[in-house]
Amino acid sequence: VHESWGHVIVLVPTVASVHRLCFPHPTRMDKSTAPPSADEDGVMSILSEAGVHTARDYEYQLSFPSTAPLPHLAASYYTPEEESVFVYCNNQGSLTCVRMEQMRGMTFVTQLSSPSNYLGRVWTSLTSRTAENRDQPFSIVITPVAGTLMLVAICKDHKLRLWNLQS
């Protein structure tokens, strides 16, 4: 949940879509025209006008290959430039970034590079007794770091990894 000038923004990542729900900010709501859903003090809910159309105003449907596992982790961030950024991760460690610009229909999807390099994967496969993906993130968050939007992940091998989301 994020606040912008005059709006409350709720970013919702689902397994197959991303949604940016935009509601009027409570300070911008006119109490003199309070709907019947307002309580006795005239306090109105920003969700009183919500419906199916709200969820479909700004949405993007994702499509993953049928052989790829579905995402099990997601993070979202609303930038000061009013851009919505979502990152998905599946159990193979694949990371997908979805950027929804302020203008409707301007959505960009990119695959983030694998956290490990080729030599590291070969060495791990030779020395590891299990086939589990140790550099797979199990917790992710999007945050600005030194003015750059970054994905921060804690991985199964107990390492902290960063991805630059600006490019």
Side-chain angles (χ1 to χ4, degrees), residues 2-9 22-30 44-46:
H2 307 273
E3 288 185 79
S4 71
W5 181 255
H7 293 95
V8 174
I9 309 295
C22 185
F23 300 103
H25 197 280
T27 59
R28 295 258 189 211
M29 297 177 81
D30 184 16
M44 297 177 289
S45 169
I46 62 170

Side-chain angles (χ1 to χ4, degrees), residues 1-12 19-26 46-59 78 82 84 100 102 104:
V1 178
H2 307 273
E3 288 185 79
S4 71
W5 181 255
H7 293 95
V8 174
I9 309 295
V10 180
L11 301 179
V12 182
H19 302 268
R20 177 174 55 212
L21 310 178
C22 185
F23 300 103
H25 197 280
I46 62 170
L47 304 175
S48 63
E49 305 281 327
V52 173
H53 68 282
T54 307
R56 292 191 178 146
D57 274 349
Y58 289 98
E59 75 172 339
Y78 191 70
E82 298 183 354
S84 305
M100 293 176 75
Q102 180 184 10
R104 187 174 301 174

Side-chain angles (χ1 to χ4, degrees), residues 6-155:
H7 293 95
V8 174
I9 309 295
V10 180
L11 301 179
V12 182
T14 68
V15 171
S17 62
V18 293
H19 302 268
R20 177 174 55 212
L21 310 178
C22 185
F23 300 103
H25 197 280
T27 59
R28 295 258 189 211
M29 297 177 81
D30 184 16
K31 294 182 180 172
S32 64
T33 60
S37 63
D39 67 9
E40 63 275 352
D41 295 329
V43 177
M44 297 177 289
S45 169
I46 62 170
L47 304 175
S48 63
E49 305 281 327
V52 173
H53 68 282
T54 307
R56 292 191 178 146
D57 274 349
Y58 289 98
E59 75 172 339
Y60 181 77
Q61 297 291 325
L62 296 164
S63 61
F64 295 103
S66 61
T67 58
L70 292 175
H72 71 283
L73 285 177
S76 64
Y77 187 80
Y78 191 70
T79 69
E81 295 81 25
E82 298 183 354
E83 178 184 36
S84 305
V85 181
F86 301 87
V87 175
Y88 284 94
C89 178
N90 66 22
N91 63 4
Q92 291 178 342
S94 175
L95 295 163
T96 303
C97 180
V98 180
R99 300 176 77 93
M100 293 176 75
E101 299 286 335
Q102 180 184 10
M103 185 184 308
R104 187 174 301 174
M106 297 295 293
T107 304
F108 305 96
V109 180
T110 55
Q111 289 295 122
L112 301 177
S113 63
S114 174
S116 62
N117 58 27
Y118 179 74
L119 184 57
R121 286 192 305 260
V122 170
W123 178 252
T124 301
S125 66
L126 292 174
T127 60
S128 179
R129 292 183 185 164
T130 63
E132 79 176 49
N133 192 357
R134 295 191 44 82
D135 58 4
Q136 171 193 345
F138 67 85
S139 181
I140 59 175
V141 66
I142 301 170
T143 188
V145 176
T148 302
L149 196 61
M150 304 288 282
L151 174 69
V152 180
I154 298 174
C155 299

